[in-house]
Amino acid sequence: MIITRAKLKDLNDLAPLFDGYRVFYKQDSNVEAAKRFLKQRMVKNDSIIYLAYENDLAVGFTQLYPLFSSVSMKPMYMLNDLFVSSTHRGQGIGEALIDRAKLLCKSENNKGLAIQTAFDNPAQRLYERLGFVKDSDLQFFWKK
């Protein structure tokens, strides 16, 4: 397996995975809109996207958004997206993508890596196995 930072040349490999991620979260499939969204993130340098390849086939990705902690006065990342194609799950790809994100945080001396996920996402078991702990000190509020 090879994990690389996604670049514009990787959009055709990345977009179907990103679309699959959105469909998992009950959104309508739209690969072209996914491609436009991802291209914006890359051009504007809004996020860092790692792409996992197995035998030249893109099989998973993670997308990190930069944040800052005012209290610790340090940068951090939010792992907002993690997806592995259904045919490649259970092979350590998700763990490898998370490990790559953790390595980035360590190399930049960040506060850490936060993960945002749905309450019913089965990947929570992976996060806990990798040492992530549910935050009981903070609550998030949302207004649309």
Side-chain angles (χ1 to χ4, degrees):
M1 173 189 357
I2 295 172
I3 295 179
T4 184
R5 184 165 175 178
K7 296 182 175 30
L8 287 174
K9 68 177 181 60
D10 302 313
L11 274 176
N12 288 332
D13 291 340
L14 179 59
L17 290 169
F18 185 75
D19 188 62
Y21 167 79
R22 294 185 66 255
V23 168
F24 175 82
Y25 280 106
K26 299 176 181 38
Q27 302 301 304
D28 292 335
S29 177
N30 189 333
V31 176
E32 288 306 310
K35 200 179 290 188
R36 285 191 303 273
F37 179 84
L38 292 166
K39 184 177 180 179
Q40 275 190 320
R41 302 293 66 75
M42 291 178 186
V43 168
K44 293 182 176 187
N45 205 26
D46 288 339
S47 69
I48 293 174
I49 304 170
Y50 289 113
L51 192 52
Y53 285 93
E54 187 74 45
N55 299 322
D56 295 325
L57 176 68
V59 296
F61 80 96
T62 189
Q63 184 163 209
L64 312 171
Y65 290 101
L67 299 173
F68 296 92
S69 167
S70 298
V71 174
S72 67
M73 296 185 296
K74 285 189 156 194
M76 57 186 285
Y77 285 102
M78 170 68 71
L79 190 155
N80 199 69
D81 311 332
L82 176 69
F83 183 79
V84 175
S85 68
S86 60
T87 56
H88 289 82
R89 292 184 185 147
Q91 299 177 27
I93 296 166
E95 181 172 348
L97 286 162
I98 291 171
D99 286 345
R100 184 61 187 89
K102 288 167 44 179
L103 184 64
L104 174 68
C105 290
K106 186 174 183 173
S107 73
E108 293 182 354
N109 194 31
N110 287 359
K111 176 182 178 175
L113 180 64
I115 297 178
Q116 180 179 356
T117 191
F119 284 105
D120 60 349
N121 187 339
Q124 290 181 58
R125 291 187 298 277
L126 170 64
Y127 306 148
E128 290 171 347
R129 185 170 56 78
L130 295 178
F132 289 86
V133 178
K134 286 184 185 179
D135 193 325
S136 59
D137 294 334
L138 300 174
Q139 282 192 307
F140 290 90
F141 293 83
W142 173 259
K143 180 172 182 337
K144 195 170 187 181

